[in-house]
Amino acid sequence: MKNFRWDIKGVIFDVDGVLLDSMGIWTDLGARYLVSIGKTPEEGLAEILFSMSMEQGAEYLREHYSIGLTAEEIGTGLQDMLRDFYYYEVQARPGAQQLLQAVSSAGIKITAATSSPREHIEKALERNGLLSYVDRMFTNAEIGKSKHSPDIYDAAADHMGTAPGETCVFEDSLYALRTAAAAGYHTVGVFDSKGESDQEGLRGSAEIYIHELCEITALFQ
């Protein structure tokens, strides 16, 4: 592992679950919304909503909980709650700033690749003192493809002027990490208790697997 840093000229960080402690909102959002309007969420609601789009989830909540609003109005409420979480509540993962500082001080370029809305992520990173370390952020919405395709990583690497073999991708999601690995990128799998359910798969697929960001910071110092 001590030689790891010297082969790396660029790092691409996923944001949710890696730099930000934000994965919980994606399982708690429906319940949060219901509580905010005086409804009691059913047990297992997160699992029910997991495979649904925001629009489908809003319709489910409207019908199942007899909410006297349209699905569009519920969807707007969910989006507002999600925005407020990123703008005002979400915290950086422990050690995120120290890791970014170490990578930056080592002269290694930094980009971010996220599936979340740009404005949400930029506000959260800025509020937590992390945005200034990121040279450029790439979103799946702007790229036009999910992380099942390596396009977002390729765009970030192209911006940094680094080849996949000299670029490291930090991911907490197994499918995304496998996409990056298959495209030739070095990979760090990051544990998140509210994220990837197949941690053994993540551990086995990543070149380096960590529970906390501080575990890898020394490699860049």
Side-chain angles (χ1 to χ4, degrees):
M1 289 175 60
K2 285 296 183 182
N3 293 324
F4 178 78
R5 172 169 76 92
W6 305 113
D7 300 325
I8 300 301
K9 296 180 180 177
V11 175
I12 304 170
F13 285 99
D14 173 48
V15 181
D16 289 304
V18 174
L19 297 179
L20 295 178
D21 187 14
S22 52
M23 293 305 295
I25 190 62
W26 295 100
T27 55
D28 296 344
L29 185 60
R32 281 185 178 220
Y33 178 79
L34 291 172
V35 170
S36 76
I37 61 171
K39 302 281 187 178
T40 302
E42 65 198 285
E43 188 172 344
L45 178 63
E47 288 73 21
I48 293 171
L49 298 177
F50 178 77
S51 62
M52 298 183 187
S53 67
M54 187 75 77
E55 294 77 15
Q56 291 170 330
E59 181 61 31
Y60 176 85
L61 294 178
R62 185 189 71 81
E63 292 184 355
H64 194 74
Y65 291 90
S66 302
I67 299 173
L69 298 170
T70 66
E72 290 75 16
E73 289 171 328
I74 295 171
T76 297
L78 292 168
Q79 292 286 4
D80 289 347
M81 189 166 283
L82 186 64
R83 179 200 63 211
D84 288 349
F85 173 78
Y86 279 97
Y87 276 37
Y88 309 115
E89 182 178 343
V90 67
Q91 298 296 307
R93 279 197 57 158
Q97 185 167 19
Q98 292 86 340
L99 174 58
L100 289 169
Q101 179 63 59
V103 175
S104 178
S105 296
I108 297 171
K109 298 175 182 178
I110 298 172
T111 52
T114 180
S115 302
S116 292
R118 171 181 292 277
E119 188 175 359
H120 292 14
I121 294 298
E122 287 184 344
K123 288 286 188 179
L125 292 179
E126 182 176 26
R127 181 171 50 78
N128 283 282
L130 306 181
L131 186 61
S132 62
Y133 294 101
V134 180
D135 183 57
R136 184 171 172 182
M137 184 183 305
F138 295 83
T139 73
N140 286 113
E142 293 163 357
I143 293 294
K145 293 184 180 179
S146 74
K147 288 183 178 179
H148 286 287
S149 161
D151 287 31
I152 193 168
Y153 306 122
D154 292 342
D158 184 65
H159 173 77
M160 294 186 293
T162 60
E166 54 192 17
T167 307
C168 181
V169 174
F170 281 67
E171 280 284 358
D172 67 315
S173 175
L174 177 56
Y175 85 91
L177 184 137
R178 283 178 170 169
T179 296
Y185 292 90
H186 293 288
T187 57
V188 175
V190 183
F191 170 80
D192 188 295
S193 62
K194 297 179 180 178
E196 176 61 56
S197 59
D198 185 4
Q199 286 299 316
E200 286 308 307
L202 187 66
R203 182 195 299 272
S205 297
E207 290 180 68
I208 298 176
Y209 175 81
I210 58 174
H211 277 80
E212 302 293 342
L213 298 180
C214 62
E215 295 173 36
I216 199 169
T217 300
L219 295 182
F220 295 98
Q221 293 174 330

